[in-house]
Amino acid sequence: MSTAVSNLGYSFSQTKITDFISNLESTSGVLDDQLRPAFQALLTTTGSLTQSQKLLNDAIQISRASGEDLLTVSNDLALAYTGNTKGLKKYYTGLTQAELKSMSFSEVLGVMLKNSAGAAEAYLGTAAYKMNVLSVASENAKEKI
């Protein structure tokens, strides 16, 4: 990911990006090796650190609600950001393909977030989340050895 960050002119923000991913890993229970490619897909498309960070958090919520893996959701959001909403059909937004095409990205994202509201928070109380947190802690401990 550091090459993509440098190519976009954000090498000065590498430490901030690493800290963001690390903090998100511990709070979301999503492993670094899933967060980095998802973030890279969004950053490469949006060209904005702030927008990519927001969208990664949104992608986690949508992923939890839909059951789709994080990278798939991030790639679908990146495509939708550029106007290709075809991949959003699988998220059962209740919108027709014509509606998806006629709405702005922000409007479609709003519908998706409304439909997935509470999914990320509900996940935080599950045994799966607790196991993921333990897995993250274990991976981090191995890296420090």
Side-chain angles (χ1 to χ4, degrees):
M1 182 170 79
S2 62
T3 303
V5 169
S6 293
N7 288 345
L8 291 167
Y10 288 119
S11 56
F12 63 92
S13 296
Q14 188 64 49
T15 303
K16 289 181 182 180
I17 293 169
T18 300
D19 290 346
F20 168 75
I21 296 290
S22 179
N23 289 336
L24 192 56
E25 179 183 29
S26 43
T27 58
S28 69
V30 178
L31 293 174
D32 179 90
D33 62 346
Q34 295 170 337
L35 291 169
R36 286 185 181 278
F39 182 74
Q40 182 176 338
L42 295 166
L43 182 60
T44 302
T45 300
T46 67
S48 165
L49 289 173
T50 306
Q51 183 69 8
S52 298
Q53 289 172 335
K54 181 201 173 305
L55 287 174
L56 183 57
N57 280 302
D58 294 343
I60 290 170
Q61 178 175 325
I62 293 165
S63 173
R64 298 285 191 230
S66 68
E68 293 288 335
D69 68 270
L70 181 59
L71 185 56
T72 298
V73 175
S74 296
N75 284 331
D76 289 340
L77 289 179
L79 287 171
Y81 187 85
T82 62
N84 183 348
T85 58
K86 186 177 179 180
L88 301 182
K89 194 118 174 112
K90 69 176 145 265
Y91 299 103
Y92 305 107
T93 60
L95 301 170
T96 66
Q97 196 61 39
E99 289 171 320
L100 284 171
K101 286 182 181 181
S102 67
M103 295 172 76
S104 72
F105 174 73
S106 295
E107 291 170 324
V108 173
L109 182 61
V111 170
M112 293 176 73
L113 291 174
K114 181 180 173 198
N115 290 347
S116 63
E121 292 81 13
Y123 178 76
L124 297 178
T126 66
Y129 168 73
K130 292 173 182 146
M131 292 302 290
N132 281 343
V133 169
L134 289 174
S135 177
V136 166
S138 174
E139 286 295 320
N140 289 338
K142 286 179 189 175
E143 288 175 10
K144 291 180 181 178
I145 294 177

